[in-house]
Amino acid sequence: MKKKNGIAAAVLLILILTCILPTGAFAEETQEDVTPNAKAAILYETTTGTVVYEKNADMQLPPASMTKVMTAILVLEQNPELEGELTVDERAVSHYYCSSMEPLRHLYAGEAISYEDCMNYMLIASGNEAATSFAFELAGDMSEFAKQMTAKAKEIGCENTEYRDPTGISPYNLTTPRDMAKIAAYAMKFDKFREIVCKSGGTVPPSNKREKGFDYENSDPLLAENPYITPYHGYIKGIKTGWTPSAGYCLTCCMEKDDLTWISVVMGVEDEAVTETGEVIRGDVPETIRLLGLTDGVTADDLKKPVNVLLIAGVIIAGIVVVLIAAVLYRKKHRREM
């Protein structure tokens, strides 16, 4: 009976090891530098968990306003339907915490604004004072909110991400393309986030502090009201731009095409780009388009490799060895008992 139990245990071990073997693997890394003007980049497919392209994907760099994706995550975790309204804290619009606001087109201290309008303004127009307003509303303190952002990044699985503010103005906010792809994929699980980041524009409505609202458009040229048209235009679903002098141009993009969901991240593009027609655009845009070009004709099957036959053979041999050892031990014990 004991011998049978030993053999059954060995067989079970073989089955378990076989089941946990990876049936798919990362596609071979593209050798060509597809993003020559970016310091770092990645192209990731979320449904198969495949990295198709990476360049310095674990290099820590300032994400600039791509930071606001994590700010949105913290807000949505507490209020996924973006219900209710908040009042803009005076500190949220101070130069110390929010040094970049467009003249005459910004939120005011004491202004009442709905969570949804504030989130729209933050993610679409990249309103810095919207991000700081959320921070003071939810944490009461800027540094405390930044600590929560960093903790959430670690919870998601980001090993090289830390935050000092909710806007991205600080040069000490740091992340990597790999971490940013994880953050973006996590954010896209929220319905409100998905709904907002693909909009071409929005409006800050009249309030207790303004008689007239103001319109704004998406900071991403691929999604603006007069978008930069690419072959992938109809498939792009967001997500977020970024720029500061220390970060350069940054862009995280989500594209859904042929039943696959792609996340691309480019960081540290220093210069603007000039198109064939002479149009000047953000330098991260052509880098992103070249990354998306790697998806042409790719299917889910292309992203999976056959199971490693040698690895399976090794597991089976190991299982047989376990069976033989169990049999020998049983015989020795049986002889002693006799």
Side-chain angles (χ1 to χ4, degrees):
M1 185 68 180
K2 291 180 180 178
K3 183 178 180 181
K4 290 182 179 178
N5 288 341
I7 294 174
V11 172
L12 179 61
L13 174 64
I14 294 172
L15 290 173
I16 291 173
L17 290 174
T18 303
C19 288
I20 64 175
L21 284 174
T23 56
F26 291 122
E28 292 183 7
E29 182 178 341
T30 303
Q31 297 301 311
E32 179 187 358
D33 186 357
V34 179
T35 55
N37 300 313
K39 291 180 180 178
I42 198 167
L43 178 64
Y44 173 67
E45 202 288 307
T46 66
T47 59
T48 60
T50 306
V51 174
V52 170
Y53 173 89
E54 58 179 281
K55 172 185 176 181
N56 301 326
D58 297 308
M59 177 186 286
Q60 281 190 311
L61 293 166
S65 283
M66 294 193 306
T67 293
K68 295 183 176 84
V69 176
M70 179 56 74
T71 302
I73 287 173
L74 261 61
V75 176
L76 289 163
E77 296 241 287
Q78 296 190 41
N79 187 353
E81 296 302 320
L82 299 177
E83 298 173 335
E85 66 177 23
L86 59 85
T87 299
V88 177
D89 192 291
E90 184 176 0
R91 294 168 294 175
V93 294
S94 69
H95 182 78
Y96 184 79
Y97 289 115
C98 191
S99 60
S100 178
M101 294 190 297
E102 187 175 347
L104 304 179
R105 289 164 54 88
H106 59 81
L107 304 182
Y108 296 109
E111 182 170 7
I113 185 171
S114 72
Y115 265 72
E116 185 150 6
D117 285 334
C118 195
M119 183 68 76
N120 273 276
Y121 179 51
M122 181 181 77
L123 291 176
I124 299 172
S126 202
N128 288 315
E129 70 276 23
T132 52
S133 295
F134 279 133
F136 283 114
E137 176 73 13
L138 297 182
D141 179 82
M142 187 67 69
S143 61
E144 174 59 28
F145 191 79
K147 289 178 183 177
Q148 293 177 17
M149 294 171 70
T150 301
K152 187 64 188 181
K154 293 187 184 304
E155 181 184 322
I156 291 172
C158 302
E159 299 178 357
N160 298 294
T161 298
E162 56 185 300
Y163 298 102
R164 300 294 181 86
D165 69 32
T167 63
I169 293 174
S170 171
Y172 301 108
N173 281 5
L174 294 172
T175 191
T176 68
R178 195 182 311 280
D179 281 1
M180 194 65 225
K182 293 178 183 178
I183 292 166
Y186 187 89
M188 290 295 276
K189 295 178 181 179
F190 293 94
D191 290 340
K192 283 293 184 181
F193 185 89
R194 291 177 58 84
E195 174 189 321
I196 290 170
V197 293
C198 64
K199 292 180 178 179
S200 62
T203 301
V204 170
S207 70
N208 58 319
K209 293 291 182 177
R210 71 178 77 245
E211 292 184 2
K212 294 183 179 180
F214 63 86
D215 298 330
Y216 53 81
E217 66 175 353
N218 201 307
S219 61
D220 185 351
L222 297 172
L223 291 163
E225 292 178 0
N226 295 299
Y228 181 76
I229 300 297
T230 79
Y232 313 105
H233 175 70
Y235 305 106
I236 293 174
K237 306 302 178 183
I239 299 177
K240 192 70 192 74
T241 59
W243 181 86
T244 64
S246 61
Y249 291 102
C250 305
L251 177 58
T252 297
C253 178
C254 178
M255 181 177 74
E256 296 177 354
K257 181 167 70 79
D258 300 330
D259 298 321
L260 295 173
T261 300
W262 301 92
I263 302 269
S264 67
V265 182
V266 295
M267 300 181 70
V269 182
E270 294 183 358
D271 299 316
E272 293 180 323
V274 179
T275 67
E276 295 178 355
T277 60
E279 181 183 1
V280 178
I281 58 173
R282 296 173 53 105
D284 47 359
V285 171
E287 304 297 292
T288 296
I289 294 170
R290 282 195 288 271
L291 274 184
L292 298 182
L294 296 178
T295 71
D296 288 347
V298 176
T299 67
D301 288 338
D302 296 328
L303 301 178
K304 296 178 181 178
K305 289 183 178 179
V307 176
N308 190 319
V309 176
L310 291 177
L311 186 56
I312 291 180
V315 171
I316 293 174
I317 291 171
I320 293 172
V321 170
V322 170
V323 171
L324 292 174
I325 292 173
V328 170
L329 292 175
Y330 172 79
R331 288 175 182 173
K332 287 183 177 180
K333 183 177 180 181
H334 182 67
R335 286 173 183 171
R336 285 198 300 267
E337 291 175 350
M338 290 179 65

